[in-house]
Amino acid sequence: MTGTGTSDSASPAGPTRNGSGAGLSTPRLLAILFREEWRMHTELFGGWRFATFPVVIAVLTVGATVALLETGTDPGTVVGGLHVLALGFGLYSGTAGFAGSDMLENVFGELSLLLSSSTMLPLSRRRLLGVFLLKDALFYGVAFVLPMALSSAVLEGLSASALPSVALFWLSLCLVFAAGMATTVALIAVRTQGVPPWAIGLAIGVAVIGGWVTGSLGSVRAVFVPIDGSAIAAGGLAVGTVAVATVALAVYDPTYGRPSRTATDRFARLSGTLPLENDALVTKTLLDLARSSGGVWKPFVSSTILLALVAALVGVVDSITGIAPASGIFFGGVLGLSAFTTYNWLTQFDSLEAYLTYPVSVEDVFRAKRIAFVLVGAPAVAVPYLAAVLWFDATVVDAVVGAVLLAGYALYYYGLTVYIAGFDPNEFLFDAVRFATFTVGVAVALVPTLVAGFVVVPPSLELAAALGFGGVVMGIVGIVLSSRAGPRWDARYRTE
């Protein structure tokens, strides 16, 4: 992530002869970046709301670990799942150093970041980026990964060796987190050398398929769960992470820009295809998504990734308990969570303030986002859901109920997100109060559904009717929340 430092970011560097920022030591630069990061989060969330976020993470991970162990889940599965979460967060965090200034200014307004000061100050862009990524690894290693490591005390039991176990588990998670960051940085660096995204995706796909065919994927756990592997494997992962990060920084081209393209009148063409009146705001939202990196495929990719994770979870549960859940109910309830990522894609490069100069109301803007969400989100989850129910041989009743749950829960999750977070769904991920509220809101709908999907397989007509009714009710709640989000955030912007 980045920060809101201004004067502190610019003043310490001083002039240098070679333009590399030699007059500013790495520890000093690291300290300024840490202060910048803290200022950003405290400005965005308020000091105590961000400071207590690690507590929320600790409560959730420790509570989930206790619940999984009580239901008979193998401790090794819990350990592996926590490492997957750390790896995923590392992959996400690796993009922070490359976030565009336009996207950040949508959140903070005009700002001057130390990371972007290499164009104005004698600081090496590569060195600055390297120190920035080191700062992120240390900062989130404490703020996010350390609370996760407290689960080790539950896995090992409270004893004299609990503290060393937590420390070792934390180092294992941090190593995987850093590996995820380095991987993302390497992919972005390759992209700056002109390699097209489809070639990168094809290479990753070939590697995964090759590993699956040769059976080498089974050895992945020994590498990416260092605490369960050998010291040699952990050392190899550490050396490999450093090597990949070093090469990526050397390959990264800070002057790279996307090639210029001739733009056609896509707005008029897209507007003409929508069966809506006064749909300029909806058209703008869809066009912004289409023009962004990844385009309209991003919501489909997010839903597909969620499908793969849920499918793996079904296999794990089946192997542990010998019970496969009702696939339609299970996938319908969980795939609805893609509403959060879809809405995030629709607002990522947008800000509500930008609309205040136009003769439109805040409520109109939220209404347009809701329509765009339905147009994009419906096919993005329908295709993965259809694939899931066909692959897992869901019964007709199970598939129909799951479809109702998917539609209703997606609307509910969307309404919950937009009501809590407004135009900035990604922000409240580090706000303890909003994150806890969102988590409770999701659990209220999802947990009883998943439990019901395990108890009666296949679902009886009575259970199917009850779940279907619940899905409709949650969908109505979501519509109400999303319709009230416009007036709620309009009032907040008027008072700020």
Side-chain angles (χ1 to χ4, degrees):
M1 305 300 263
T2 50
T4 58
T6 53
S7 60
D8 283 337
S9 301
S11 60
T16 59
R17 293 179 181 270
N18 58 11
S20 65
L24 184 62
S25 66
T26 297
R28 173 67 171 157
L29 183 59
L30 193 61
I32 297 171
L33 285 169
F34 270 117
R35 185 161 64 247
E36 197 175 55
E37 187 81 12
W38 175 258
R39 285 180 175 178
M40 182 197 74
H41 288 95
T42 53
E43 173 73 18
L44 189 59
F45 308 123
W48 71 270
R49 294 171 74 107
F50 172 66
T52 54
F53 181 77
V55 178
V56 176
I57 295 295
V59 170
L60 290 176
T61 53
V62 171
T65 300
V66 172
L68 289 172
L69 293 179
E70 289 296 324
T71 56
T73 304
D74 181 64
T77 302
V78 178
V79 171
L82 290 171
H83 281 78
V84 169
L85 288 176
L87 177 65
F89 188 68
L91 292 171
Y92 168 78
S93 298
T95 64
F98 308 90
S101 59
D102 291 341
M103 184 180 68
L104 295 172
E105 288 182 0
N106 285 340
V107 178
F108 296 105
E110 294 186 5
L111 44 76
S112 176
L113 301 172
L114 179 58
L115 185 61
S116 60
S117 64
S118 59
T119 58
M120 302 172 287
L121 297 175
L123 291 171
S124 167
R125 169 68 178 179
R126 286 190 176 88
R127 179 188 171 220
L128 190 56
L129 180 60
V131 177
F132 177 90
L133 294 173
L134 175 61
K135 178 269 303 177
D136 261 14
L138 296 174
F139 189 91
Y140 292 110
V142 174
F144 186 89
V145 181
L146 180 57
M148 294 173 56
L150 296 179
S151 297
S152 176
V154 180
L155 294 168
E156 299 293 334
L158 297 178
S159 63
S161 62
L163 186 58
S165 297
V166 170
L168 187 62
F169 196 62
W170 177 46
L171 291 176
S172 181
L173 292 174
C174 284
L175 184 54
V176 175
F177 171 73
M181 287 187 63
T183 301
T184 300
V185 173
L187 293 175
I188 294 175
V190 170
R191 181 73 182 96
T192 65
Q193 294 300 315
V195 179
W198 66 263
I200 298 175
L202 179 62
I204 295 174
V206 170
V208 172
I209 294 175
W212 177 68
V213 172
T214 59
S216 59
L217 288 179
S219 60
V220 169
R221 180 183 177 92
V223 176
F224 285 97
V225 186
I227 198 171
D228 284 351
S230 64
I232 296 177
L237 180 60
V239 172
T241 298
V242 174
V244 169
T246 302
V247 173
L249 290 174
V251 171
Y252 173 66
D253 181 6
T255 64
Y256 173 79
R258 295 179 64 184
S260 300
R261 296 177 298 175
T262 301
T264 59
D265 190 5
R266 298 173 66 185
F267 186 92
R269 187 169 66 252
L270 180 59
S271 180
T273 61
L274 296 177
L276 302 167
E277 296 182 1
N278 301 321
D279 57 352
L281 291 174
V282 179
T283 304
K284 179 187 180 302
T285 297
L286 297 177
L287 192 57
D288 287 343
L289 175 65
R291 287 175 171 174
S292 63
S293 299
V296 296
W297 291 107
K298 290 187 292 189
F300 286 91
V301 172
S302 299
S303 299
T304 303
I305 292 174
L306 183 58
L307 170 66
L309 293 175
V310 177
L313 181 61
V314 170
V316 170
V317 172
D318 190 10
S319 64
I320 294 174
T321 65
I323 301 175
S327 55
I329 295 173
F330 197 82
F331 281 96
V334 178
L335 281 178
L337 290 171
S338 63
F340 173 82
T341 56
T342 299
Y343 180 61
N344 185 51
W345 291 129
L346 292 173
T347 58
Q348 187 176 19
F349 298 97
D350 212 351
S351 68
L352 190 57
E353 289 82 0
Y355 291 92
L356 300 181
T357 58
Y358 301 108
V360 296
S361 66
V362 172
E363 190 171 354
D364 289 336
V365 176
F366 277 94
R367 179 193 59 82
K369 294 295 180 183
R370 183 167 62 247
I371 295 173
F373 166 77
V374 174
L375 293 175
V376 174
V381 294
V383 174
Y385 177 75
L386 181 61
V389 295
L390 292 176
W391 181 266
F392 286 91
D393 295 324
T395 64
V396 175
V397 173
D398 184 22
V400 171
V401 174
V404 174
L405 290 174
L406 177 61
Y409 282 16
L411 289 173
Y412 169 67
Y413 297 145
Y414 166 78
L416 185 66
T417 301
V418 71
Y419 187 81
I420 295 175
F423 240 58
D424 304 300
N426 232 6
E427 291 180 23
F428 75 91
L429 291 180
F430 293 100
D431 184 318
V433 175
R434 291 184 180 181
F435 184 78
T437 303
F438 179 78
T439 302
V440 171
V442 170
V444 166
L446 187 58
V447 172
T449 302
L450 297 184
V451 171
F454 276 100
V455 172
V456 182
V457 182
S460 63
L461 291 178
E462 294 79 5
L463 178 61
L467 289 175
F469 177 76
V472 172
V473 171
M474 298 311 295
I476 294 174
V477 172
I479 293 174
V480 172
L481 287 174
S482 62
S483 62
R484 295 186 60 183
R488 177 175 184 265
W489 286 95
D490 185 20
R492 291 193 60 171
Y493 274 98
R494 290 180 184 276
T495 57
E496 291 180 354

